[in-house]
Amino acid sequence: MRNYIVFGRRSTAQLTFALGMALVVVFSLIPAVGILVISFTDIRSLPFLPVHWVGLENYRTFFSAAQLGYNTVALTNTFVFAFAVTLFQNSLALLIAVLLNQRLKGRNFARAVVFLPTILGVTVIGLIFTLIFNPAAGPAQQLWAAFGSSSAFFGDPNLAMALVIFVQVWSGIGVAVVIYLAGLQAIPQELYEVADIDGATSGQKLRNVTIPLLAPAVTANTLLCIIGSLQSYQLIYVLTGPINPATQVLSLAIFTQGFGGAQGGTVLSQGYAAAISMVQFVIVAIISLASLAYLRRRETAL
């Protein structure tokens, strides 16, 4: 009877794993292979057009002198956006998580408020901040006017990227806080009690107890933020449009090239968009793997 139960549980686990792998293959692996194949063609959105195998032509176009300026700006904005979002989101999330982990009155309500932006859709978030930073009569413009100045906000090339980064951090900080809170609550309280007996200050406890034991949560949050921000374009599209050079990122270039609004003198082509997406995949993979290796070494060192 015991063997039958064990066998049944093992069969259930194997079946669940097989179903999970089937979902990954159908919805991730097959589309990824399809994008790779498409990147070697000149497929376009217009129906009944013949599709030709063009080999590396789309990749040569991406790295050509004609596209160099546009793609350089997109790559630079992508790295600036990803670095800033990762830095500010993780720093603020860790600070908020440490505060909300204390025994404070109303902390459950505060946690709900912090997590609230996560459940809002991109369109809703975009609408909220478009109204707030409306250059005609938004609250931000009225505050700006109180100091005798004015701004186009998302239309200002010197301010647009900073505002988009702010909105992205605001919208994603809830998940990071939850992960840090889970890590903080897994730290045994006895360690803090021992540190109190030894006369450790709050800063020393944070540096010598909290941070080392929170390293796995830091790794998870950092990787999620890096991967997500390197591929993010939805908020940028809603807030600043598809053709704003100040906020043009690689993911947005893929979207505009594949679905409309492409810049750089290139004819709309899903084949070319697929080639850009493969370049992005390589960039994201290299940065993610390098970050993972570094963070794992830091975990061991701590």
Side-chain angles (χ1 to χ4, degrees):
M1 181 65 178
R2 181 177 300 175
N3 292 336
Y4 173 79
I5 294 175
V6 172
F7 176 76
R9 290 178 178 174
R10 183 177 302 172
S11 299
T12 303
Q14 291 174 345
L15 178 60
T16 304
F17 178 77
L19 290 174
M21 287 301 299
L23 291 174
V24 170
V25 170
V26 171
F27 293 105
S28 296
L29 184 59
I30 293 178
V33 173
I35 291 295
L36 177 61
V37 173
I38 289 173
S39 70
F40 296 111
T41 70
D42 63 351
I43 186 172
R44 287 170 168 78
S45 56
L46 296 177
F48 310 116
L49 286 180
V51 178
H52 303 98
W53 185 268
V54 297
L56 297 176
E57 184 62 31
N58 289 323
Y59 294 94
R60 283 195 289 266
T61 300
F62 179 83
F63 292 104
S64 66
Q67 298 294 320
L68 181 61
Y70 176 78
N71 291 331
T72 300
V73 170
L75 283 170
T76 302
N77 287 340
T78 299
F79 294 140
V80 169
F81 179 79
F83 176 79
V85 169
T86 301
L87 176 63
F88 290 120
Q89 183 167 303
N90 279 279
S91 300
L92 291 173
L94 179 58
L95 176 61
I96 293 171
V98 170
L99 292 175
L100 294 181
N101 195 46
Q102 308 299 317
R103 293 183 177 179
L104 302 174
K105 185 177 181 180
R107 67 174 182 176
N108 290 335
F109 175 76
R111 291 175 181 177
V113 170
V114 170
F115 190 75
L116 180 62
T118 305
I119 66 176
L120 299 177
V122 173
T123 306
V124 175
I125 294 173
L127 178 60
I128 291 172
F129 282 94
T130 299
L131 294 174
I132 291 174
F133 291 101
N134 188 319
Q141 187 65 273
Q142 294 177 2
L143 179 62
W144 223 254
F147 294 94
S149 183
S150 63
S151 175
F153 297 111
F154 291 115
D156 185 346
N158 298 317
L159 194 59
M161 178 58 79
L163 289 177
V164 168
I165 290 170
F166 165 74
V167 177
Q168 181 69 37
V169 171
W170 179 85
S171 65
I173 200 169
V175 174
V177 169
V178 169
I179 293 175
Y180 281 134
L181 276 174
L184 287 170
Q185 292 173 1
I187 299 176
Q189 290 299 313
E190 291 80 3
L191 296 178
Y192 293 107
E193 294 172 2
V194 172
D196 288 332
I197 294 173
D198 291 339
T201 64
S202 299
Q204 289 173 331
K205 287 189 287 186
L206 178 65
R207 184 173 62 254
N208 299 318
V209 178
T210 304
I211 297 299
L213 295 178
L214 203 60
V218 173
T219 299
N221 259 333
T222 303
L223 286 176
L224 287 173
C225 200
I226 288 174
I227 295 172
S229 56
L230 284 173
Q231 301 179 84
S232 178
Y233 73 91
Q234 296 92 334
L235 267 177
I236 298 174
Y237 181 88
V238 172
L239 292 172
T240 65
I243 57 174
N244 189 336
T247 57
Q248 183 68 274
V249 294
L250 201 59
S251 296
L252 188 56
I254 296 170
F255 179 83
T256 55
Q257 181 60 51
F259 299 98
Q263 297 293 296
T266 304
V267 178
L268 184 65
S269 170
Q270 280 72 49
Y272 181 59
I276 303 176
S277 69
M278 294 310 301
V279 173
Q280 183 193 46
F281 169 77
V282 172
I283 293 172
V284 173
I286 292 173
I287 294 176
S288 300
L289 291 174
S291 300
L292 178 61
Y294 171 77
L295 292 169
R296 288 299 187 191
R297 284 200 301 269
R298 289 290 299 170
E299 285 185 30
T300 304
L302 291 173

